[in-house]
Amino acid sequence: MNPGFDQSSIHLALAHQSSTRQVSTSKRLANGYPSDLHLGDLGLTDLHPTPHDIERDALAGLSCSPKRLSSKYFYDARGSELFEEITRLPEYYPTRTEIALMETCMPQIAQAIGARAHVVEYGSGSGRKTRMLLDALAHPVAYTPIEISRTALLDSVARLQTEFPQIEMLPVCADFTRGVRLPESTRAAARTLVFFPGSTLGNFSVDEAVALLRGMRVAIGQHGAALIGIDLQKDAALIEAAYNDAAGVTAQFTLNLLTRLNREIGSNFDLGGFRHRARYDIGAGRIDTYLVSQRRQTVQVGPCAFDFETDEAIHVEYSHKYTDTGFAQLAALAGLQVIDGWNDSRNWFGLRLLVGRF
Ligand code: AVI
């Protein structure tokens, strides 16, 4: 626990919680959305983005000045594999630091959250952090990962289902930025816990992050909480190295976005015609990643042709790094309050527990 967090407040905030929800006897979405959207043995709710969604977003982003593409499309099967590889790189400190932090603090975190949670994870990743959380929590009733990559989602849920047979798995294949309707667990949960590790929040613009946090506040309601991982501001060289690894895996990860667009929406980006660039902006407290055109060229995307100058950059990713004050202010804009938090011993990475202000 960090000095600066008032431990008593979390207990006050969560102690009065009890379930008033009806036990549902069949899998269905909380808002009554029909159960036939569940596909297969794992009860997959499939709201995967269509090529039409991807093309619409790509056309909108490339029509902006400066041009941009959304980092959410990094995570096709290959992109998810490359991201896993990034997490093992010597320069990429966030994942190993967060995991070490969870190893140390998980008992305290689990106690602060309480028993019988329905854990809703925004993204599913490798499942390693999920496993640590589900292992530590007292009697979690259900687990809902919301993940845009169908492959990553199914892989992680299949593994978790065998390890945690007592926890109901309710995966949702969807873009969690778009107000996903949550499935309701068969057994009543005492609270919803949104789990958003990895500092993925940092990949959104400030406005998008506030909108996402607002959505979390709705998802957790009056009795729930959100556990969010945040990468903290630190030495600029250390941060920049994490996004410019010597082995070039991050560059492959960034360029894979163009491979995906070519495959899924039939664009004709020349992979050799763009380079990865990632710079830390100290003032803004964030990494900006670009794909930079190596020459004058024209790229066809759906019905539109886009001209690029030499050195013209497409913005493809933000990776915000936070201060405690900055994060608390961001959360407050979304009606959320940080009630507890844990940092690693070097203050490189933090986990924060938030509840809604109602
Ligand atoms: C998933 N997200 C938190 C990663 C990050 O650090 O912003 C994605 C990433 N991009 C390049 N390297 C890692």
Side-chain angles (χ1 to χ4, degrees):
M1 238 277 297
N2 289 316
F5 286 99
D6 177 8
Q7 177 75 358
S8 60
S9 61
I10 175 83
H11 295 133
L12 278 177
L14 294 178
H16 69 280
Q17 297 179 354
S18 65
S19 174
T20 51
R21 258 210 264 158
Q22 297 292 309
V23 178
S24 76
T25 51
S26 64
K27 283 179 189 165
R28 63 186 168 80
L29 296 181
N31 68 345
Y33 218 66
S35 60
D36 58 4
L37 274 177
H38 294 283
L39 307 173
D41 294 345
L42 290 167
L44 173 68
T45 301
D46 194 341
L47 302 170
H48 198 71
T50 62
H52 176 262
D53 296 332
I54 302 174
E55 185 181 285
R56 183 203 52 218
D57 286 356
L59 291 175
L62 293 172
S63 303
C64 293
S65 183
K67 294 182 174 68
R68 58 175 191 240
L69 289 169
S70 171
S71 62
K72 74 184 175 196
Y73 294 124
F74 282 172
Y75 301 92
D76 63 353
R78 179 66 184 142
S80 300
E81 259 171 38
L82 284 166
F83 179 63
E84 282 306 307
E85 216 177 301
I86 287 173
T87 64
R88 293 189 292 271
L89 291 169
E91 297 95 332
Y92 193 78
Y93 62 84
T95 309
R96 74 176 64 88
T97 310
E98 186 179 37
I99 287 174
L101 174 62
M102 286 182 73
E103 269 161 7
T104 314
C105 299
M106 216 50 237
Q108 291 172 44
I109 296 173
Q111 201 183 3
I113 293 165
R116 292 188 296 113
H118 177 169
V119 177
V120 176
E121 184 167 0
Y122 284 22
S124 69
S126 69
R128 187 159 168 206
K129 292 171 214 164
T130 315
R131 197 169 291 121
M132 293 171 80
L133 177 67
L134 296 179
D135 245 340
L137 286 176
H139 314 296
V141 301
Y143 172 61
T144 293
I146 307 169
E147 167 66 57
I148 202 165
S149 161
R150 190 189 283 123
T151 321
L153 179 69
L154 290 176
D155 284 355
S156 99
V157 166
R159 278 196 301 270
L160 288 167
Q161 179 72 94
T162 51
E163 284 173 59
F164 298 96
Q166 75 286 9
I167 301 177
E168 188 178 11
M169 298 284 151
L170 297 166
V172 175
C173 186
D175 177 354
F176 57 70
T177 62
R178 295 214 175 150
V180 178
R181 289 169 282 206
L182 293 177
E184 193 169 302
S185 57
T186 305
R187 283 178 293 147
R191 58 189 58 87
T192 301
L193 175 78
V194 167
F195 183 41
F196 197 37
S199 204
T200 304
L201 186 70
N203 294 137
F204 295 89
S205 70
V206 171
D207 287 351
E208 289 167 342
V210 171
L212 189 57
L213 291 167
R214 283 208 181 105
M216 278 183 206
R217 181 175 176 270
V218 172
I220 64 181
Q222 289 199 7
H223 305 304
L227 181 64
I228 302 180
I230 53 172
D231 196 11
L232 300 169
Q233 290 185 10
K234 61 185 76 60
D235 177 56
L238 201 91
I239 296 176
E240 218 163 75
Y243 295 83
N244 292 283
D245 61 287
V249 181
T250 309
Q252 284 181 57
F253 171 71
T254 311
L255 278 159
N256 180 61
L257 173 62
L258 303 185
T259 311
R260 178 181 189 178
L261 295 183
N262 287 351
R263 186 186 62 243
E264 295 194 21
I265 63 170
S267 53
N268 67 348
F269 284 99
D270 168 16
L271 278 270
F274 289 87
R275 291 262 163 83
H276 159 92
R277 178 193 292 160
R279 298 272 183 275
Y280 186 56
D281 178 336
I282 298 182
R286 68 170 192 239
I287 285 277
D288 287 292
T289 301
Y290 303 93
L291 282 165
V292 184
S293 178
Q294 297 303 291
R295 52 182 164 77
R296 293 190 75 175
Q297 55 184 318
T298 301
V299 178
Q300 190 72 32
V301 182
C304 302
F306 293 96
D307 294 327
F308 288 85
E309 296 298 327
T310 306
D311 279 337
E312 186 177 348
I314 314 174
H315 189 280
V316 294
E317 188 179 48
Y318 295 112
S319 205
H320 287 91
K321 310 301 166 191
Y322 298 96
T323 59
D324 264 327
T325 318
F327 183 70
Q329 285 170 348
L330 188 74
L333 288 173
L336 289 167
Q337 184 184 3
V338 179
I339 55 166
D340 213 342
W342 300 265
N343 285 0
D344 68 291
S345 57
R346 292 181 293 195
N347 289 319
W348 281 9
F349 203 95
L351 283 159
R352 299 290 179 265
L353 193 67
L354 301 99
V355 294
R357 293 165 179 268
F358 288 94

